[in-house]
Amino acid sequence: MTERPAAFTPEQMERYSRHLLLREVGPRGQRRLLASRVMVVGAGGLGCPVLAYLAAAGVGTLDVVDSDVVEPSNLQRQILHGTPDIGRPKTDSAREALAALNPDVRVVPHAVRLDETNAADLMASVDVVVDGSDNFATRYLVSDTARRLRKPLVAAALFRFEGQVTVFPNDGLPDSACYRCLFPTPPPPGFLPSCQEAGILGAVPGLLGSIQAAETLKVLLGIGESLAGRLLLVDVLAMEFRTVRLHRNPACRHEE
Amino acid sequence: MPSVTEHLDLTTDVCPMTVVRTRLALEDMAAGALLEVRLLEGESLDNVAAYCLEDGHGIVAREALGGRTWRLVVRRGDDD
């Protein structure tokens, strides 16, 4: 005998009505979102819109990993944090903003820096990992750990007016690419953006983070065609979007 | 012909909550079971009826009850 699913409260019927109307989501999909758990690495330019849309969508549990405090320079794009939050841990201000947005969502803050000692534990019980980090060391660690644990990874990166986003399914299939297939080694120091090149148009992470949120919801719901096997390149200055195929690099030293 | 087992009064609801509540009610019912929905003529009636047909349910009765209120009897389809 199958158990009858929990009924939506009148408040939830209203809150999720625009999902409930979609054939691809509907009551079953909304219940699935409410039962899902997603880890977002970084509560910054990408993480803020990702977290806001996932919380609004009713993803039941959100793990937020960030060890930074809010700085004035964050406020131009990191929309979960406000001026009164300057100096506070980003996990605190993010948790408060998300709780105000949707009390259905449980936010699990991790005010730590992701490293080899904690990454697998933090990722173990989530359904999807979203990378909104800002450095290569963390991106490799997130990708390697997610691949080892077979967790789908929604990854994005930004530079000035540009961004790129993809999904690494980490499904164990032989042709699935990973972050190391795309970037086998970190760029040499001279190739990293210097201080005066660290500018970013504030709406760019909003756009890319929204795409990450949409891809995460699609993966959780099992609907549509994800960006798995494709890299979406966005140039906001020209406002051009294009996708390139992503292949597994036979020489890639995946950490299985 | 089975008898109506579920009733939904949507006369105080507006679009799109009329469709949302109809969908949720049908989801919990067995295939072939009948749902009676009361709703106002115009957008509510039109949209709920259209939704039911699009989602594979059947409309077995559609009648005016007086005033602007209508009665719709929906047979739940096989799966949604």
Side-chain angles (χ1 to χ4, degrees):
Chain A
M1 186 174 148
T2 56
E3 204 165 307
R4 196 184 168 92
F8 291 101
T9 65
E11 194 273 338
Q12 287 178 318
M13 279 189 208
E14 294 266 5
R15 177 183 292 273
Y16 304 119
S17 58
R18 269 49 175 187
H19 275 171
L20 297 172
L21 288 164
L22 291 172
R23 190 181 305 275
E24 293 81 355
V25 185
R28 202 169 300 168
Q30 189 60 50
R31 284 194 187 92
R32 185 184 284 205
L33 294 181
L34 287 164
S36 296
R37 182 167 185 170
V38 173
M39 180 172 116
V40 179
V41 182
L46 290 166
C48 283
V50 169
L51 287 163
Y53 275 112
L54 295 184
V59 172
T61 305
L62 292 171
D63 289 70
V64 185
V65 185
D66 201 308
S67 62
D68 289 342
V69 296
V70 177
E71 296 179 27
S73 65
N74 301 150
L75 302 179
Q76 165 253 20
R77 66 200 176 283
Q78 302 185 14
I79 56 170
L80 289 180
H81 317 300
T83 307
D85 297 315
I86 290 168
R88 301 179 68 207
K90 286 186 181 177
T91 46
D92 284 1
S93 48
R95 179 176 50 180
E96 284 174 15
L98 298 171
L101 185 54
N102 188 350
D104 283 348
V105 176
R106 184 171 71 104
V107 177
V108 184
H110 305 281
V112 295
R113 198 169 176 80
L114 203 69
D115 61 30
E116 279 83 1
T117 67
N118 60 22
D121 283 345
L122 289 174
M123 248 182 236
S125 49
V126 306
D127 301 300
V128 176
V129 179
V130 181
D131 189 359
S133 69
D134 60 359
N135 65 86
F136 281 94
T138 304
R139 286 192 203 123
Y140 283 119
L141 175 63
V142 169
S143 175
D144 292 343
T145 311
R147 187 176 180 90
R148 200 167 64 240
L149 298 181
R150 301 253 170 117
K151 307 286 184 183
L153 169 61
V154 183
L158 307 165
F159 181 62
R160 293 158 66 90
F161 294 93
E162 293 169 34
Q164 40 183 255
V165 55
T166 188
V167 174
F168 298 115
N170 293 333
D171 48 14
L173 295 179
D175 58 344
S176 285
C178 75
Y179 186 73
R180 285 186 190 275
C181 297
L182 188 57
F183 299 106
T185 55
F191 282 75
L192 289 171
S194 57
C195 274
Q196 75 270 21
E197 291 175 313
I200 179 97
L201 189 74
V204 173
L207 178 61
L208 273 289
S210 299
I211 293 171
Q212 282 183 291
E215 289 297 292
T216 302
L217 295 172
K218 284 164 58 186
V219 170
L220 291 172
L221 292 165
I223 60 172
E225 294 294 323
S226 84
L227 281 170
R230 291 181 294 155
L231 181 69
L232 173 64
L233 303 164
V234 179
D235 176 352
V236 167
L237 215 45
M239 201 47 89
E240 283 182 347
F241 291 62
R242 64 194 178 96
T243 54
V244 295
R245 302 301 305 183
L246 266 190
H247 297 289
R248 179 167 186 168
N249 177 359
C252 179
R253 34 182 209 88
H254 310 288
E255 306 215 350
E256 296 288 357
Chain B
M1 178 83 177
S3 58
V4 170
T5 55
E6 302 291 330
H7 303 266
L8 201 55
D9 183 352
L10 301 180
T11 52
T12 59
D13 288 272
V14 295
C15 202
M17 288 309 294
T18 47
V19 174
V20 170
R21 295 188 61 193
T22 303
R23 180 170 187 174
L24 289 172
L26 286 164
E27 193 213 14
D28 287 340
M29 294 168 52
L34 297 183
L35 167 71
E36 181 196 70
V37 187
R38 287 171 188 247
L39 67 183
L40 298 181
E41 68 186 2
E43 195 179 42
S44 289
L45 177 64
D46 297 345
N47 287 339
V48 168
Y51 156 73
C52 290
L53 295 176
E54 269 172 35
D55 230 18
H57 308 292
I59 291 175
V60 296
R62 178 184 178 129
E63 57 196 44
L65 295 178
R68 294 183 55 217
T69 306
W70 283 66
R71 172 180 182 266
L72 210 57
V73 178
V74 184
R75 184 195 295 112
R76 198 209 188 280
D78 279 342
D79 208 26
D80 54 352

